[in-house]
Amino acid sequence: MSPTLLPLLQQIVLVLAAIVLFTSFVLLAQARLVAAIHAFAWQGALVAAVTTVVAATGQTHHLYFSALLTLVLKALLIPWMLHRLTRRLALDRHVESLHRPALVIMAAVALVIFSYWLVLPIVQQEMTFTRNIVAISLAVVLIGLLMMVFRQQAVAQVLGFMSMENGLFLAAVSATAGMPLVVELGVAFDVLVAMVLFGVFFFQIRESIDSLDVDRLNRLTETAEEGIVAAGRTTPRAVAGEDG
Amino acid sequence: MIALLITLLAPVAGALVLAVLRPLGPAGWLNVAVSTITFGAAAWLTWTVAASGEIAGYSFRVDDFNVYLVALTAFIGLTTSIFSRPYMRHVCDTVLTRKRGMRVYHSMYQAFMFTMLLALTTDNLGVLWVAVEGATLATVLLVSLYRTPEAVEAAWKYFILCGVGIALALFGTVLTYFAAQHVVSDPSAGLTWSTLYRHAGHLEPAVMRLAFVFLLVGYGTKVGLVPMHQWLPDAHSEGPTPMSAVLSGLLLNVALYAVVRLKMLVDGSLAASAAPHLAGYLLMGFGLLSFLVAGLFLHRQRDIKRMFSYSSIEHMGLMTFAFGLGGPLATFGALLHMLVHSLTKSAIFVTVGHAAHIAGTQSIERIRGLIRTQPAVGWSLLIAVSAIAGFPPFGVFTSEFLLLTATMQAQPWLTVALLSGLAIAFAGLFRHLHPMVYGAPPEGQKPVRANMLPVAIHLALVLWLGLAIPGFLAQWLDRATELITGSHLL
């Protein structure tokens, strides 16, 4: 890699990272589930692309493997699993009604500014050019968090969770040259298992409340306790009796 | 090293075999057998470490601090598996979580034990994260095992909240790794705790400060610190009782262990900066808040397992506060409190499981007259709750007394908050406990087959620790104290 090429590659990395952040916004405001899953897949592919370019600039060869892992897991496997699940749950035409989307987008913008402010101590350190991306990755993490709070649909919450993982991976790639391999594999394994379990839970939730609107999972609040107690908080035995 | 390998591999093998073993009877026994092997290996490991000092290498590290938690984890895993065999059989006979559910239960029980032991023994902060996240994944299906709407809701909440929390912890880990890049020459050793600890003084304070906030919020979610505690009462009350016992007795400890290890790093890094005790103050703040809030919430509970899970939050808050206070006396007290709290709380959950089966409900208002119906369960509950409330002959009293003394020395004004918190919690527990154990039993309440052996062993140990801490254990905790704070107590 000749040094004259570096600035161009750096610019590519920055542009790609910016598009990753943009996909986060798309995810946040996209009411159609299938389109949101596509946006998530794009985000995974972009993160993989950033990783590849960073690997090319820094001569860190194990990052090529990480990029491949991300591409397979985040851009192909998990979106495919989500697609299949939405089809089986007959949610592929589902459109969620979003409350106050403009306000949420404003909140997300505030989060981006907040992330830049928060990582100032890191940006000020002498380090590779990628340090700017740490702020972007923190913003992606926090927007994922916002999405999990704001969306009431279980699948959308999972998308938020997974995009948080994307942000974390981006942080690891940009702040450092990627985590040690054993950790990266462990994290990937955890994410995959989590996705499988999320799939199991979609069916369990639908079985119990007949929809995937997690807002309706509200039986376990402190204040509602009395009503439930009146109905008899039950051990398994009593439940079985009711079920017959 | 061999002992360590057996400790870690026995649960893995157990999880794999139990995942395919269909008949329920042998599965229960095999679960006990695997737990026994794990405990034997952990005891061996403990003996090795006690005899010849810490074992380090191959990205594992077993020293005086974590080996005592390894022994505790394996021990509670064993006694809970003994309790769970007949208990889950009873559940299976009466309700029917399907047979497949039981296979998941046993397999995940061992997988959970593995993640706990891995988190304790690993030297790599990244692997620690993977193991703690793995513990969530292993237990989340168990929380929803009964498939009631409440159980599914509790599991979803647990999954999402802990997933978010732990994601923030990973961000903190990345930041730590980033700070290490400047200091550690070999980048692949940048997440090794021992290496980082050796170079802690050179880690960039500004980055470590930021990292610790993320790490504390992340692992603090798992410890059950207020305001990230929302998942804990739900998961404890809706999951099967053996799971509540291990969650309360083990998972919370392991998460706190992670926080303490990271605090050691941050303290080293901030030693020369303007605010050297920042990490300690953060822990004290979160700990005190959890302690007081959970004590107040105890009064409002109507579900017996929920009530005791708030008691767990309260005690974890106390320990977090003590570790934040620092100093040899407070740290010694906190280590002792971890031990006695785990033993007592798992005994309580075991007893509560039997009590709920006797009454057929978890509602406190409907559990009445336990002593008349089944004296063993009633008395155990009474004694165990007295122990957890901090009555004198038991170990919890000793550790709380040490903590109060330490607070009196370091921050006298906070003693008032601690004492009133203890009084509030005591009142909260006993106003609910009294009618449950005394009073007339409702018509037709029958005793159940109960194995009180685990409870008896746990309570006997707690009593022993309260009357006289054996010399070797005191030395051992003292060595751990020295490791954490750098100075002896004894």
Side-chain angles (χ1 to χ4, degrees), chain A residues 164-240:
Chain A
M164 276 179 89
E165 290 287 337
N166 274 343
L168 290 166
F169 183 78
L170 192 62
V173 169
S174 54
T176 65
M179 304 279 252
L181 195 61
V182 54
V183 178
E184 227 157 64
L185 284 176
V187 173
F189 176 74
D190 274 357
V191 169
L192 190 61
V193 174
M195 188 56 238
V196 173
L197 291 182
F198 277 128
V200 173
F201 269 99
F202 289 158
F203 289 100
Q204 290 193 1
I205 291 176
R206 201 179 58 165
E207 206 176 298
S208 78
I209 61 169
D210 211 26
S211 105
L212 276 177
D213 195 347
V214 258
D215 235 23
R216 287 168 57 188
L217 285 176
N218 54 9
R219 303 178 69 141
L220 288 174
T221 52
E222 296 293 338
T223 42
E225 202 98 339
E226 308 214 5
I228 296 170
V229 170
R233 280 301 291 286
T234 44
T235 58
R237 175 162 47 179
V239 174

Side-chain angles (χ1 to χ4, degrees), chain B residues 145-365:
Chain B
L145 191 70
Y146 295 154
R147 298 291 181 84
T148 59
E150 287 89 3
V152 172
E153 178 186 342
W156 182 256
K157 225 172 180 180
Y158 174 45
F159 203 172
I160 291 291
L161 266 173
C162 283
V164 168
I166 211 77
L168 295 177
L170 184 59
F171 193 78
T173 310
V174 169
L175 287 180
T176 312
Y177 188 51
F178 169 75
Q181 298 287 298
H182 297 264
V183 178
V184 184
S185 48
D186 174 18
S188 63
L191 277 177
T192 310
W193 185 86
S194 316
T195 318
L196 287 174
Y197 189 56
R198 263 201 307 282
H199 297 98
H202 303 290
L203 295 172
E204 177 61 35
V207 179
M208 288 308 287
R209 208 178 294 145
L210 187 60
F212 186 71
V213 173
F214 278 101
L215 289 165
L216 178 61
V217 172
Y219 288 119
T221 311
K222 280 271 158 127
V223 181
L225 296 178
V226 175
M228 296 89 77
H229 68 288
Q230 305 288 348
W231 63 273
L232 195 146
D234 295 345
H236 280 60
S237 61
E238 299 306 327
T241 303
M243 228 46 235
S244 319
V246 287
L247 281 180
S248 223
L250 307 180
L251 177 69
L252 308 185
N253 269 354
V254 171
L256 185 60
Y257 160 83
V259 171
V260 174
R261 282 268 171 186
L262 293 159
K263 173 180 182 282
M264 290 163 76
L265 286 184
V266 178
D267 277 349
S269 159
L270 296 187
S273 74
H277 299 300
L278 179 83
Y281 288 139
L282 276 175
L283 286 185
M284 280 165 71
F286 271 112
L288 203 57
L289 183 70
S290 313
F291 179 68
L292 295 174
V293 170
L296 288 170
F297 268 101
L298 271 177
H299 287 260
R300 301 184 50 195
Q301 298 313 313
R302 286 153 192 277
D303 179 309
I304 183 166
K305 278 163 85 180
R306 250 184 121 78
M307 175 171 87
F308 285 115
S309 56
Y310 271 101
S311 159
S312 290
I313 299 178
E314 181 217 339
H315 284 275
M316 293 321 285
L318 186 62
M319 285 176 239
T320 312
F321 171 80
F323 278 119
L325 203 59
L329 186 59
T331 307
F332 187 93
L335 290 172
L336 183 63
H337 200 76
M338 262 180 157
L339 189 66
V340 288
H341 171 254
S342 293
L343 289 171
T344 318
K345 194 46 72 59
S346 45
I348 285 182
F349 273 114
V350 169
T351 320
V352 163
H354 290 311
H357 274 181
I358 292 173
T361 168
Q362 282 174 216
S363 164
I364 290 175
E365 279 164 21

Side-chain angles (χ1 to χ4, degrees), chain A residues 58-241:
Chain A
Q59 253 100 61
T60 36
H61 295 297
H62 78 276
L63 273 186
Y64 286 118
F65 176 75
S66 314
L68 188 69
L69 190 69
T70 312
L71 187 72
V72 171
L73 194 65
K74 299 277 181 57
L76 301 174
L77 189 59
I78 288 179
W80 175 73
M81 287 167 86
L82 281 168
H83 247 299
R84 240 185 49 158
L85 283 167
T86 47
R87 252 203 321 272
R88 282 177 58 193
L89 291 161
L91 285 172
D92 38 0
R93 301 209 175 276
H94 180 86
V95 179
E96 192 182 341
S97 57
L98 304 174
H99 305 293
R100 297 177 180 278
L103 200 68
V104 176
I105 293 289
M106 293 295 277
V109 172
L111 283 179
V112 175
I113 296 168
F114 175 68
S115 330
Y116 265 94
W117 175 76
L118 207 59
V119 298
L120 273 182
I122 299 175
V123 178
Q124 277 159 1
Q125 288 226 336
E126 288 306 314
M127 197 49 197
T128 51
F129 71 98
T130 46
R131 65 194 178 220
N132 272 316
I133 305 177
V134 179
I136 292 185
S137 50
L138 181 59
V140 172
V141 171
L142 292 179
I143 292 175
L145 197 96
L146 182 68
M147 186 169 167
M148 292 175 79
V149 176
F150 153 75
R151 300 290 285 262
Q152 277 113 37
Q153 222 274 337
V155 180
Q157 285 193 338
V158 170
L159 282 173
F161 180 88
M162 290 295 164
S163 90
M164 276 179 89
E165 290 287 337
N166 274 343
L168 290 166
F169 183 78
L170 192 62
V173 169
S174 54
T176 65
M179 304 279 252
L181 195 61
V182 54
V183 178
E184 227 157 64
L185 284 176
V187 173
F189 176 74
D190 274 357
V191 169
L192 190 61
V193 174
M195 188 56 238
V196 173
L197 291 182
F198 277 128
V200 173
F201 269 99
F202 289 158
F203 289 100
Q204 290 193 1
I205 291 176
R206 201 179 58 165
E207 206 176 298
S208 78
I209 61 169
D210 211 26
S211 105
L212 276 177
D213 195 347
V214 258
D215 235 23
R216 287 168 57 188
L217 285 176
N218 54 9
R219 303 178 69 141
L220 288 174
T221 52
E222 296 293 338
T223 42
E225 202 98 339
E226 308 214 5
I228 296 170
V229 170
R233 280 301 291 286
T234 44
T235 58
R237 175 162 47 179
V239 174

